[in-house]
Amino acid sequence: MQAWQIALTNTAGISSFLSLWAFILSYGFKQLNSLLCKAARWIMSIGFIALTLAIIIRGIEAQRFPLSNLYESILWFAWSVMGSYLALAKFYNIKQFGSLACMLALTMFLYGSWLPLSQHEISPLVPALVSYWRQIHIPPLIISYALFCVSGLAAFAQLFYSGRIVSLSIMALTVILAASAIGLGTYSSVESYILQILFVGSSVIGSYLGFKNTNKEMPRLVNKNQASLYEDITYRCVTVGFPLLTFGIITGGLWANHAWGTYWSWDPKESMALATWLSYAAFIHLKIHRECKNNTLSIVAIIGLLVTMLTYLGFNSLGFGGLHSYGRFKDM
Amino acid sequence: MANKSNYLNQYKNIFGKLFKTNVFASVKLTIFLMSTLISIILIGAWCPQKSQVGMEKVTEQFGEQNALFLDKLGITDIFHSNFFLIVIALLTINMIACSMQRVFPKYKLYKKPLLFFNSNQISKMPYVEMGEFSGITPVQAIDKLKLYLEQKNYKVNVNGHQLNAQGSKISKFAASVTHVGLLSLLFGVTITSWTGFSGIEPVGIGQDLDFSGSEHANYWFGHLPNFKVRLNSTSKESYASGQVKQWYSNLSVIDKSGKIVQNQTISVNEPLSYHGVDVYQSNWGLNSAQISFNGNKRKLMLRPMGAIWATFLPLEADTILIMSFKNEKEPLKLFAKREEWSAPKLITQIPLHGSVNLGSVKITYDKINPVSGLQYKSDPGLPIVYFAFGFIILGVMMATLPYSELYVCIDNSEGENKKIIIGGICPKAPSQFKNLLNLLLNSLPESNKIGQNNNSIQSNLASSLIPK
């Protein structure tokens, strides 16, 4: 049973890798573009089915709902990224955006596979997690985080098709630096305060420069239809992710009230989920009330991506404490 | 006197201007306050909060000097700081002002029918498709479009050669429902703060929890219950690996006449509820052990040491006797530790009620006293909070649907080819909306597109169409 689960998870990881290459090749071979994109989507679909089966088998083997530690949450995250891309591809007929989705899923597979073996093993639950609330509270949160990340990627695509290459480059570098801080926090023994400075410093400076350069345009890259399409996708992902995040936070409150007698305790992870909620609430207000231009809104969506990264992986890997230690595996 | 009157007029003018310019109902203020709140939350999440983990944790993380500095700034208890409360209060005022001015008045528009617009007015809308068709009359074309839109769940009205339609009308009220939920949440939390209480106490077997050590807000006008909760028994369940699986406590609720009115075994995630008070299993431990030395009973206090509890008895200058306990059922483990030994050495194990002779001393393991960490609370505002949770979830789910308004006008002039203009607004999903406009045009026989207009910077007309 365990061998099947590992084989299926590996199949999903390899599918993301192959799919990514098919998308990359489709950029180079214009004549085969449509065929390669179709092949990439099929490969991704196979990976998605394999990962679905892997998660189900893990649940059967563990005799519980398979979402209780960082490794399992990463499988769910990758599953949500793949699923949301396939759904978007169906509704919006988008093609090469899949390369970004594949890259994100592949990064998560690699991140998960490098975690210590204790994370991969099926372990018994601590008393606090023995509750039916676990399967109600956690999946919507993980899926919402995945959707916010896809939304952030769509915002990058929007900046690209708007010709905002300077802003795009700054924000891409910012996300890479922030992700590096998380990676170093997970796999190295670099001091936590250095990583916190790297994450927060790059995010603040990058966001400021990103906003400042939104007016710098490269006209030859502008494709208004595509920019509008990705603006739409950015917002649609947020509008689906936001209710899921709300549901996840509220059910977390209900669970905490049921188990500990308080629905809110300002635990760091709880607080960060609220910060993420407020970030996307601000994004939605800006969008609906048309308070800023589309390119500026894309920067806001990418800042949302940074906040989501900090909430989902950052707080555990950058050395913050809290009750939600399921995502932690190093002694702090 | 005249000066005083001038000052009053001046203040009146300032406040009058504030309200006239809708300072409190401004979305810019909302964004500013949200950003401030996010910053405060990030700081609060970064710095351990002394109200949760104690000042020792802050000192451990930042050092004594830095911890004192952070404490002076109010960062170590930022969620109870005046600054935080002021931001929350301003956000509440902002939300009420926005709701009153823009969000709630939308209900007035619910039954108000959409207007019909002519070609010129439609051409100024954000998304416009212009085309021609032939083979059917304008009335037949309008009927065809009506059928198409109704299949897409649009609510359609027709007036001669003009048509208007609304999609996902319910999502117009998403903001209202969410705001009602958020305001109810604040109301519920306020009621709990003024009338509720909470606390946590370690309770031994046979002892009573009487809520006298409970905590409540400064401005409190609630009352403490007149019943007690007695701990009858408590136990720990472990996995084969030794990891804790669950803690259990059997509790009895005793009313003021001393009668047992409820009995229940609680565990983590399974609390006891009685007359608005909930009692939770928060943690578990071993408090003390009763050991006899040659028949002399002694109560030894235990210290938690990771997964076990232990007590230390100095025998000689360099020798310590250690008694270690895993839970209330397993035997006591007796260790000795001398300075020259790298680790304690196991001497023997004594089962509960068993004895061993150690030299001339007979040691008997008489009794172990577990202690159950019971947390309790009374939360009178909870029903309102749950109602608020429901409304917030409903509101944000309604917001996922993209509201759209669509207008069609067909030119009724003579000739084979009829001109048609289709336009509208859909701020949440413009790309899909533009596709719909195309599909509508293509659904007409022998149609061809003669123009397109994307007024991406929303026109004044479009802005006036969407009630803010």
Side-chain angles (χ1 to χ4, degrees):
Chain A
M1 201 91 152
Q2 197 186 358
W4 272 102
Q5 183 233 314
I6 294 168
L8 285 164
T9 310
N10 289 344
T11 307
I14 293 164
S15 300
S16 309
F17 180 73
L18 293 176
S19 182
L20 173 65
W21 273 103
F23 277 121
I24 291 170
L25 289 174
S26 74
Y27 287 107
F29 299 96
K30 294 263 158 108
Q31 287 169 334
L32 295 170
N33 180 297
S34 191
L35 185 72
L36 282 166
C37 283
K38 211 170 182 180
R41 211 184 290 177
W42 271 104
I43 297 167
M44 204 174 187
S45 304
I46 292 166
F48 179 70
I49 294 166
L51 190 54
T52 310
L53 291 172
I55 292 171
I56 293 170
I57 291 173
R58 193 175 171 91
I60 294 168
E61 205 185 339
Q63 295 182 321
R64 59 166 168 76
F65 190 73
L67 186 46
S68 67
N69 67 4
L70 180 60
Y71 176 73
E72 287 172 0
S73 82
I74 281 170
L75 293 185
W76 276 81
F77 186 94
W79 178 83
S80 311
V81 169
M82 292 165 104
S84 50
Y85 167 70
L86 291 170
L88 286 171
K90 189 170 163 37
F91 287 119
Y92 287 92
N93 196 26
I94 45 172
K95 290 175 182 170
Q96 278 133 330
F97 177 66
S99 58
L100 293 178
C102 284
M103 207 187 292
L104 177 60
L106 186 60
T107 309
M108 294 313 285
F109 279 121
L110 291 173
Y111 185 86
S113 67
W114 288 334
L115 289 174
L117 269 181
S118 59
Q119 281 281 314
H120 295 234
E121 285 164 4
I122 293 168
S123 51
L125 297 173
V126 295
L129 292 180
V130 184
S131 171
Y132 58 87
W133 281 105
R134 192 167 53 89
Q135 45 264 42
I136 300 171
H137 163 59
I138 311 173
L141 286 175
I142 303 294
I143 298 169
S144 74
Y145 294 155
L147 281 165
F148 292 147
C149 289
V150 174
S151 157
L153 297 180
F156 275 115
Q158 193 278 338
L159 287 176
F160 178 79
Y161 287 115
S162 304
R164 265 55 181 189
I165 299 301
V166 180
S167 274
L168 186 148
S169 309
I170 292 168
M171 292 315 289
L173 183 66
T174 306
V175 171
I176 289 167
L177 286 174
S180 306
I182 290 174
L184 287 168
T186 311
Y187 304 112
S188 77
S189 52
V190 179
E191 288 285 341
S192 292
Y193 78 91
I194 296 173
L195 300 173
Q196 288 170 12
I197 291 169
L198 178 62
F199 191 103
V200 178
S202 60
S203 299
V204 172
I205 296 167
S207 304
Y208 171 72
L209 293 174
F211 275 125
K212 218 180 164 198
N213 289 287
T214 42
N215 289 330
K216 288 184 184 161
E217 183 189 281
M218 286 178 78
R220 69 187 172 86
L221 288 173
V222 175
N223 181 334
K224 278 187 179 172
N225 281 337
Q226 286 291 303
S228 166
L229 176 73
Y230 284 106
E231 176 203 334
D232 206 348
I233 292 172
T234 305
Y235 185 68
R236 292 306 286 160
C237 287
V238 172
T239 53
V240 178
F242 191 68
L244 288 171
L245 177 67
T246 311
F247 185 78
I249 292 174
I250 287 176
T251 51
L254 296 176
W255 182 7
N257 189 51
H258 184 67
W260 300 291
T262 174
Y263 39 81
W264 198 262
S265 58
W266 294 110
D267 173 70
K269 198 91 174 178
E270 256 174 31
S271 305
M272 280 312 300
L274 180 64
T276 312
W277 190 88
L278 284 167
S279 307
Y280 284 99
F283 174 86
I284 290 169
H285 278 81
L286 286 170
K287 172 82 181 175
I288 290 177
H289 293 276
R290 301 181 292 280
E291 290 285 339
C292 58
K293 289 176 186 169
N294 295 333
N295 304 321
T296 313
L297 214 52
S298 291
I299 306 277
V300 177
I302 298 168
I303 293 171
L305 165 68
L306 290 165
V307 178
T308 306
M309 283 165 66
L310 186 61
T311 306
Y312 177 40
L313 295 172
F315 253 67
N316 290 130
S317 58
L318 301 179
F320 298 94
L323 286 169
H324 294 75
S325 54
Y326 66 88
R328 191 171 45 170
F329 57 89
K330 289 202 305 189
D331 289 329
M332 300 296 176
Chain B
M1 207 51 192
N3 271 347
K4 204 175 177 182
S5 160
N6 280 343
Y7 276 124
L8 278 174
N9 285 335
Q10 219 173 331
Y11 282 122
K12 270 184 190 171
N13 284 340
I14 290 168
F15 282 108
K17 274 179 190 171
L18 272 177
F19 282 103
K20 267 183 194 168
T21 51
N22 295 333
V23 166
F24 289 114
S26 146
V27 178
K28 284 191 176 98
L29 179 66
T30 313
I31 301 297
F32 171 74
L33 291 171
M34 278 180 172
S35 308
T36 312
L37 203 55
I38 292 169
S39 309
I40 295 174
I41 291 169
L42 284 171
I43 294 169
W46 163 74
C47 176
Q49 297 296 292
K50 67 178 180 188
S51 57
Q52 292 168 357
V53 291
M55 194 62 194
E56 299 79 22
K57 180 77 186 165
V58 189
T59 311
E60 184 192 316
Q61 191 156 328
F62 297 106
E64 203 171 340
Q65 287 296 318
N66 292 336
L68 282 172
F69 179 67
L70 290 171
D71 194 40
K72 221 173 185 178
L73 291 177
I75 289 173
T76 54
D77 197 14
I78 203 162
F79 299 118
H80 295 107
S81 66
N82 289 335
F83 182 62
F84 179 73
L85 296 176
I86 288 168
V87 174
I88 292 283
L90 282 173
L91 197 61
T92 308
I93 293 168
N94 174 249
M95 195 161 46
I96 293 170
C98 285
S99 301
M100 294 301 174
Q101 281 206 6
R102 284 202 299 271
V103 181
F104 297 153
K106 279 181 188 172
Y107 283 105
K108 289 179 192 165
L109 299 168
Y110 189 73
K111 287 194 174 172
K112 203 175 168 186
L114 286 184
L115 299 170
F116 291 96
F117 291 116
N118 61 32
S119 312
N120 188 35
Q121 288 167 316
I122 295 173
S123 69
K124 289 171 186 164
M125 289 182 181
Y127 305 108
V128 181
E129 290 286 343
M130 286 170 268
E132 285 179 338
F133 66 91
S134 59
I136 54 171
T137 65
V139 174
Q140 285 171 323
I142 286 285
D143 283 344
K144 206 171 167 58
L145 295 178
K146 184 183 178 213
L147 195 68
Y148 191 98
L149 286 165
E150 280 174 345
Q151 280 169 356
K152 299 255 175 200
N153 295 322
Y154 271 75
K155 198 172 177 323
V156 186
N157 296 304
V158 172
N159 177 27
H161 301 157
Q162 292 174 319
L163 175 151
N164 67 36
Q166 285 183 94
S168 307
K169 194 176 174 182
I170 197 164
S171 76
K172 254 173 118 174
F173 307 104
S176 307
V177 175
T178 312
H179 281 211
V180 167
L182 289 168
L183 292 170
S184 308
L185 181 67
L186 289 167
F187 183 58
V189 169
T190 308
I191 286 183
T192 295
S193 168
W194 285 346
T195 59
F197 60 87
S198 64
I200 181 166
E201 275 178 39
V203 181
I205 292 171
Q207 289 179 341
D208 292 339
L209 179 70
D210 62 2
F211 313 105
S212 56
S214 65
E215 291 174 3
H216 43 73
N218 291 336
Y219 305 103
W220 188 71
F221 45 87
H223 66 275
L224 292 177
N226 53 11
F227 57 85
K228 295 184 287 189
V229 176
R230 182 164 298 161
L231 178 69
N232 302 315
S233 63
T234 184
S235 60
K236 182 174 93 166
E237 188 186 355
S238 303
Y239 292 106
S241 62
Q243 190 187 328
V244 180
K245 186 178 180 184
Q246 191 56 276
W247 300 311
Y248 298 96
S249 291
N250 182 268
L251 305 175
S252 290
V253 180
I254 299 162
D255 69 10
K256 60 181 176 184
S257 65
K259 193 177 149 199
I260 294 175
V261 288
Q262 189 174 329
N263 189 282
Q264 188 184 329
T265 299
I266 65 163
S267 58
V268 179
N269 285 313
E270 288 299 330
L272 172 147
S273 296
Y274 183 75
H275 282 208
V277 179
D278 299 315
V279 182
Y280 301 85
Q281 181 75 58
S282 176
N283 53 39
W284 192 92
L286 295 175
N287 182 41
S288 61
Q290 189 176 296
I291 309 289
S292 297
F293 298 91
N294 287 338
N296 293 319
K297 289 185 191 328
R298 289 282 181 275
K299 188 180 176 183
L300 304 174
M301 299 310 289
L302 303 178
R303 280 162 56 179
M305 311 283 291
I308 59 159
W309 288 262
T311 185
F312 302 84
L313 304 171
L315 292 184
E316 296 164 12
D318 63 341
T319 311
I320 301 170
L321 196 66
I322 304 167
M323 291 180 182
S324 140
F325 305 81
K326 203 169 182 185
N327 55 40
E328 78 285 10
K329 290 169 194 156
E330 290 189 38
L332 172 170
K333 282 184 179 171
L334 202 60
F335 294 87
K337 172 78 174 77
R338 293 180 71 95
E339 254 183 29
E340 61 267 29
W341 299 346
S342 59
K345 286 183 179 171
L346 178 66
I347 303 169
T348 186
Q349 294 192 36
I350 315 173
L352 193 61
H353 309 302
S355 305
V356 292
N357 288 311
L358 212 61
S360 60
V361 182
K362 185 184 177 188
I363 301 177
T364 309
Y365 176 19
D366 294 323
K367 197 178 165 190
I368 185 85
N369 298 314
V371 64
S372 182
L374 297 180
Q375 193 168 345
Y376 57 89
K377 61 114 198 185
S378 161
D379 194 349
L382 196 65
I384 299 169
V385 170
Y386 278 13
F387 164 85
F389 282 168
F391 256 63
I392 294 168
I393 290 178
L394 182 68
V396 293
M397 283 175 83
M398 281 162 69
T400 58
L401 302 168
Y403 174 72
S404 57
E405 285 178 16
L406 191 143
Y407 301 87
V408 178
C409 183
I410 298 175
D411 184 11
N412 196 25
S413 59
E414 294 284 316
E416 184 63 22
N417 288 344
K418 303 287 178 198
K419 282 183 182 164
I420 180 169
I421 181 162
I422 310 172
I425 48 163
C426 181
K428 289 182 184 173
S431 186
Q432 277 183 323
F433 186 71
K434 278 188 271 181
N435 278 344
L436 176 70
L437 299 189
N438 254 321
L439 289 170
L440 278 172
L441 193 60
N442 292 337
S443 72
L444 298 173
E446 296 170 44
S447 62
N448 63 305
K449 195 153 119 177
I450 55 171
Q452 189 183 25
N453 191 12
N454 282 345
N455 304 315
S456 55
I457 299 167
Q458 315 262 341
S459 65
N460 290 335
L461 175 64
S463 299
S464 69
L465 290 172
I466 311 169
K468 283 192 177 181

